[in-house]
Amino acid sequence: MFTPQAAILTVSALVTGALASSQVPPSVHLDRATFFGNASGVVTQFLGIPFALPPVGDLRLRLPLPNAPYTGVHNASAFGPACIQQLEPPLPIPAGFSPVTLQLLAGRDGGAPIVDSEDCLSINVVKPASSTDWTKLPVLVWIYGGGFENGASASFNGSVIVERSIQLGQPVVYVSMNYRWVALFPRNMVHTLGFPGGVEAQKAGIGNLGLHDQRLALRWVQKYIHAFGGDPGKVTIWGESAGAISVALQLVTNGGNTEGLFRGAFMQSGSPTGIGPVAEGQPFYDALVANVSCAAAKDTLQCLREAPLDRLRTAINASPDIFAFQSLNLAWQPRVDGAFLKDDPQTLVLQNSVAKVPLLSGDCDDEGTLFSLSTSNLTTDAEVRAYLAANYFKSVPSADIDAILAAYPNDTAQGSPFDTGTLNAVTPQFKRLAALQGDLVFQAPRRFFLQQRAGKQPVFSYLSKRFKTLPDLGSFHGSDVDVIYGPSDMTDYLIRFATHLDPNVGASADSSASFADSSASLFWPRYTTAAPQLLTFLDGAVPLNISLDTYRAEGMAELTRVSLAHPL
């Protein structure tokens, strides 16, 4: 939390140090305040700016409130703390896992430990150093993923995106924010600071606090982004995994009315998924209030607001995580609360409650491999069936489960990593579970969403097969984040989409030129129901081609039918 005295002392030291090195730090004026940031080559960063009142004390478990008008002098040279979260869990690696893959995963886990706090609702802006309050550049707003469990805006280098946009001659402003979401699992039950469940949460209108945080951050962008050289009328929201699901839910809320907050959406591995009502979280809420000695309180929500944070943190770090046995059965995900989400998101799509803005959505080929490492103890058909029935399809008729299993047989040649034959059979049922879980949570919802929206608004889709030769995991979930923050040709498509709402506009006509030398790209056709074409990202001498979104049609159709009738 900023205090005038601390801010002035910190900024005084920052300016003094900068003057000593003959460099004055860049500054921006917001309201009656001055924020000093960082200069780094052709980009300037302003980090850790609060966009809401700290959700602490009596504001814990309440809707976010806008920050008061800024005054004074502030140091915006460092990221703010992440929101309270689980310690990132180690992957449950089965015996015999490839050393090559282990080395790659270890590299992805590098970096400084995440510092978290309840006072975490801050926003970051990275802009071209040359931009001013009259340049009116397109704006990319990044929403990070992490299974609604962990993550931080500080983990992503927005300078990569802005620097590449300058190289392309299509400069953009990059924005990222923190939002509440952390899961608490007292006694293997779940509750969240960002997504509380139960009747109490529903009555108080706080069922999807993390989504409200994101919406408030988007309103901050509308109010202030012009000071950084951005155009509030040219905002594209962009996310991956839980971040992409968040983007999708921002599309379907409010009857599809964007309130002018954004004009385009870019989603990596996340779409509107089938989810149940907030009331389904009642057992989890009851377990939480009992665990923190609030069960006898007249107002259990108020009791939770006053509970010591260390008691909540202990429950977080002792809890199951996204790589636990329950895997993608995300009990801590957003739920239908009657306010932000008035119905199951897939039902909202059928009701045409979708923002009519250009959409770009895609998946990695092997979305389910990472999330199937925790089920290595499932080795028989009977065990897989029992797991699915208990974990994903609790109220689904047996005949429907049988139909799904028939469409996803225990045949390593049909499993994920796809198109690898008998290779990568980490355990007897690994490839089958990887195929099924990846399609259930990622591929089938994307296909359903795009088939419903094609013809109603501009739609583009992709499939990433990069990292395809990686043993055991293939083109795993999140591998396209490495690609787009590379930067790479995917970065160029993103920048052109944000600039023109079409990933093709502004590309070089010379498709033979390398990424390093030009913005050359393969033409990306729109996705239609008659021709559901995917731009496919590949490794090797031919990095791009066009394929059809018709693979595993029977299986995905069954998964979609079941999820519409029985939201997860």
Side-chain angles (χ1 to χ4, degrees):
M1 180 176 179
F2 282 123
T3 63
Q5 295 85 356
I8 291 171
L9 287 172
T10 304
V11 173
S12 176
L14 178 71
V15 174
T16 300
L19 290 175
S21 63
S22 302
Q23 292 182 343
V24 177
S27 63
V28 66
H29 300 288
L30 307 179
D31 299 327
R32 290 179 288 124
T34 301
F35 289 81
F36 286 94
N38 297 319
S40 178
V42 296
V43 304
T44 300
Q45 301 175 328
F46 294 92
L47 310 174
I49 302 173
F51 68 84
L53 295 178
V56 300
D58 194 53
L59 294 185
R60 181 193 285 174
L61 290 169
R62 292 192 190 277
L63 294 178
L65 295 175
N67 201 70
Y70 299 113
T71 60
V73 182
H74 302 285
N75 180 358
S77 64
F79 288 101
C83 293
I84 296 294
Q85 58 193 273
Q86 285 183 302
L87 297 175
E88 187 166 350
L91 284 172
I93 302 296
F97 213 63
S98 165
V100 173
T101 305
L102 286 174
Q103 184 175 8
L104 180 142
L105 295 175
R108 288 166 59 86
D109 291 337
I114 290 176
V115 177
D116 63 358
S117 168
E118 277 195 279
D119 183 0
C120 62
L121 298 182
S122 62
I123 201 163
N124 316 292
V125 181
V126 183
K127 73 180 194 71
S130 61
S131 68
T132 68
D133 58 5
W134 53 266
T135 47
K136 295 185 176 181
L137 300 178
V139 181
L140 271 168
V141 178
W142 167 252
I143 304 176
Y144 54 75
F148 299 103
E149 175 184 303
N150 56 37
S153 57
S155 299
F156 301 90
N157 185 3
S159 293
V160 168
I161 307 300
V162 178
E163 288 169 357
R164 181 58 184 167
S165 74
I166 295 170
Q167 292 171 5
L168 294 177
Q170 301 179 62
V172 301
V173 175
Y174 171 100
V175 176
S176 60
M177 89 287 280
N178 289 336
Y179 60 100
R180 288 171 286 180
W181 61 351
V182 68
L184 307 179
F185 293 81
R187 300 174 189 172
N188 294 327
M189 296 296 187
V190 63
H191 183 76
T192 72
L193 292 178
F195 297 94
V199 173
E200 292 86 349
Q202 186 168 16
K203 287 181 178 178
I206 60 168
N208 290 300
L209 291 177
L211 299 176
H212 286 284
D213 292 345
Q214 296 166 10
R215 201 80 170 182
L216 184 58
L218 291 173
R219 293 191 176 98
W220 185 96
V221 170
Q222 288 298 304
K223 184 175 182 179
Y224 292 111
I225 202 63
H226 71 279
F228 302 89
D231 187 338
K234 296 179 180 179
V235 174
T236 296
I237 53 176
W238 160 44
E240 186 268 343
S241 192
I245 293 172
S246 295
V247 168
L249 299 183
Q250 297 293 342
L251 289 169
V252 301
T253 190
N254 199 31
N257 181 1
T258 68
E259 305 173 80
L261 297 176
F262 55 88
R263 67 167 189 167
F266 193 113
M267 291 161 280
Q268 298 179 242
S269 302
S271 303
T273 55
I275 54 178
V278 167
E280 288 184 356
Q282 191 64 52
F284 315 137
Y285 180 88
D286 293 343
L288 176 67
V289 298
N291 192 62
V292 295
S293 303
C294 287
K298 183 177 180 180
D299 186 340
T300 54
L301 270 177
Q302 187 60 30
C303 185
L304 288 175
R305 293 185 183 109
E306 298 170 358
L309 181 58
D310 59 354
R311 191 178 300 170
L312 299 180
R313 190 186 292 277
T314 298
I316 295 169
N317 290 330
S319 71
D321 55 68
I322 195 170
F323 296 118
F325 185 63
Q326 68 229 42
S327 191
L328 290 168
N329 178 18
L330 302 180
W332 54 95
Q333 65 187 317
R335 295 180 183 272
V336 179
D337 61 351
F340 198 95
L341 295 175
K342 295 187 180 297
D343 210 330
D344 162 42
Q346 291 190 322
T347 300
L348 291 175
V349 171
L350 292 175
Q351 295 171 353
N352 207 34
S353 174
V354 181
K356 291 184 179 179
V357 301
L359 306 175
L360 198 156
S361 178
D363 282 305
C364 299
D365 200 32
D366 300 304
E367 291 282 2
T369 51
L370 268 180
F371 305 109
S372 300
L373 300 175
S374 60
T375 52
S376 60
N377 61 320
L378 303 177
T379 60
T380 68
D381 292 350
E383 289 172 342
V384 167
R385 193 187 192 288
Y387 174 77
L388 296 176
N391 199 52
Y392 293 117
F393 305 130
K394 295 178 182 178
S395 59
V396 175
S398 294
D400 288 340
I401 299 176
D402 290 340
I404 291 170
L405 287 169
Y408 291 87
N410 187 25
D411 177 356
T412 55
Q414 296 185 49
S416 179
F418 296 109
D419 304 319
T420 61
T422 59
L423 299 176
N424 303 306
V426 177
T427 65
Q429 296 279 345
F430 171 76
K431 292 186 74 173
R432 180 189 204 181
L433 282 163
L436 204 157
Q437 293 188 109
D439 284 359
L440 173 65
V441 177
F442 299 105
Q443 295 272 13
R446 176 196 54 80
R447 182 176 291 174
F448 164 77
F449 182 45
L450 298 186
Q451 286 178 345
Q452 292 296 318
R453 300 315 301 171
K456 299 174 181 175
Q457 60 206 93
V459 174
F460 301 87
S461 191
Y462 73 85
L463 181 67
S464 177
K465 290 191 175 185
R466 298 209 169 143
F467 293 87
K468 192 65 186 177
T469 59
L470 183 70
D472 303 326
L473 297 182
S475 301
F476 61 95
H477 178 80
S479 57
D480 57 344
V481 177
D482 294 341
V483 173
I484 207 163
Y485 275 93
S488 72
D489 45 6
M490 187 182 287
T491 319
D492 292 1
Y493 283 113
L494 166 71
I495 291 165
R496 292 196 296 268
F497 182 78
T499 303
H500 306 288
L501 299 179
D502 185 323
N504 300 294
V505 178
S508 168
D510 181 7
S511 61
S512 65
S514 70
F515 160 75
D517 297 329
S518 85
S519 59
S521 300
L522 185 65
F523 181 80
W524 191 334
R526 286 192 184 184
Y527 187 102
T528 67
T529 53
Q533 297 180 85
L534 302 170
L535 181 66
T536 306
F537 293 85
L538 303 162
D539 291 321
V542 181
L544 299 166
N545 70 16
I546 302 298
S547 60
L548 289 177
D549 189 20
T550 55
Y551 49 88
R552 301 187 297 283
E554 178 187 356
M556 288 197 214
E558 282 295 325
L559 292 172
T560 298
R561 182 180 65 81
V562 169
S563 66
L564 284 170
H566 307 277
L568 295 179

